[in-house]
Amino acid sequence: MMKYKPNQTRTYDGEGFKRRAACLCFKSEKEDEVLLVSSSRHPDQWIVPGGGMEPEEEPCKAAIRETYEEAGVKGKLGRLLGIFEHNQDRKHRTYVYTLVVTETLEDWEDSVNIGRKRQWFKVDEAIRVLQSHKPDHAEYLRTLSNTCNPNCSPLFVPTNGNTPSSHMTDNNTPLYVVCSPQSSDLVNR
């Protein structure tokens, strides 16, 4: 399903969720500094670069495109961190990838058109900055510490406080993170 707006086409999956993609952009493979961009609606607040998928666009391509448009960076796309569902106000599913930045443009589309800014943050600081305005974006970074970076061994995360559950599934099923106002649960679907 698609919905047309004057400046963009919104795409939805079969369950009525808006299809989105984003990248957690890191300075290095250490994944200890992340790039945030200013919000277009609230220029004094920070967000993770990302946005809606175009019709027929693959999630990884949308994540790269949105990151380039909003943050003015290019890089090496890493792993799919997870697929995050947000059901509070607007239903959307966001595919979140990691990206190690290799090129930073001085001027980019959103800096020129809407005055968007970007800034590097330590991961813990970024979580604090995002928590009040975009708790769903803070959740991306919280999940980062619970997933396997290509240079580490797999980690296990308790889903109910008692039983460990791997983020990696035997059949490569993507990790879904369902966010709610009080907490988030990790769910393999």
Side-chain angles (χ1 to χ4, degrees):
M1 173 173 47
M2 289 184 278
K3 187 185 283 185
Y4 295 97
K5 285 183 72 179
N7 60 348
Q8 70 183 29
T9 302
R10 292 185 174 177
T11 59
Y12 294 82
D13 65 17
E15 296 177 75
F17 284 83
K18 181 179 176 188
R19 299 178 69 231
R20 300 185 75 254
C23 283
L24 292 177
C25 302
F26 295 101
K27 224 176 216 186
S28 73
E29 290 184 8
K30 290 181 187 177
E31 297 182 350
D32 57 352
E33 287 185 80
V34 65
L35 186 69
L36 300 180
V37 297
S38 58
S39 168
S40 59
R41 291 191 186 120
H42 307 282
D44 58 330
Q45 297 176 332
W46 299 99
I47 62 171
V48 171
M53 291 185 216
E54 299 290 333
E56 308 302 317
E57 189 175 32
E58 292 294 321
C60 59
K61 302 284 188 207
I64 291 168
R65 177 184 52 76
E66 285 290 340
T67 298
Y68 181 75
E69 289 172 5
E70 291 191 0
V73 296
K74 294 180 181 180
K76 178 183 169 192
L77 190 68
R79 69 196 181 284
L80 173 63
L81 186 61
I83 303 167
F84 294 75
E85 290 182 358
H86 304 284
N87 303 306
Q88 295 91 351
D89 304 331
R90 297 169 281 169
K91 289 172 52 171
H92 57 272
R93 277 193 181 121
T94 305
Y95 291 73
V96 179
Y97 295 85
T98 61
L99 181 132
V100 175
V101 174
T102 58
E103 183 180 344
T104 305
L105 302 177
E106 194 164 315
D107 295 309
W108 68 98
E109 185 176 334
D110 279 6
S111 72
V112 172
N113 294 340
I114 62 171
R116 194 182 296 268
K117 297 180 287 283
R118 64 182 172 217
Q119 183 174 322
W120 291 102
F121 292 86
K122 293 286 186 185
V123 170
D124 289 347
E125 182 185 1
I127 290 170
R128 283 191 300 276
V129 165
L130 293 167
Q131 188 56 49
S132 62
H133 174 65
K134 284 287 192 183
D136 49 333
H137 291 200
E139 193 63 31
Y140 305 161
L141 288 165
R142 279 192 205 90
T143 302
L144 176 72
S145 64
N146 297 326
T147 63
C148 185
N149 153 332
N151 302 319
C152 72
S153 58
L155 297 175
F156 295 94
V157 178
T159 57
N160 63 5
N162 299 322
T163 310
S165 172
S166 173
H167 280 260
M168 309 300 171
T169 60
D170 292 336
N171 62 358
N172 292 327
T173 305
L175 167 73
Y176 277 77
V177 179
V178 180
C179 297
S180 67
Q182 279 84 23
S183 67
S184 70
D185 296 316
L186 302 177
V187 181
N188 284 323
R189 290 196 176 164

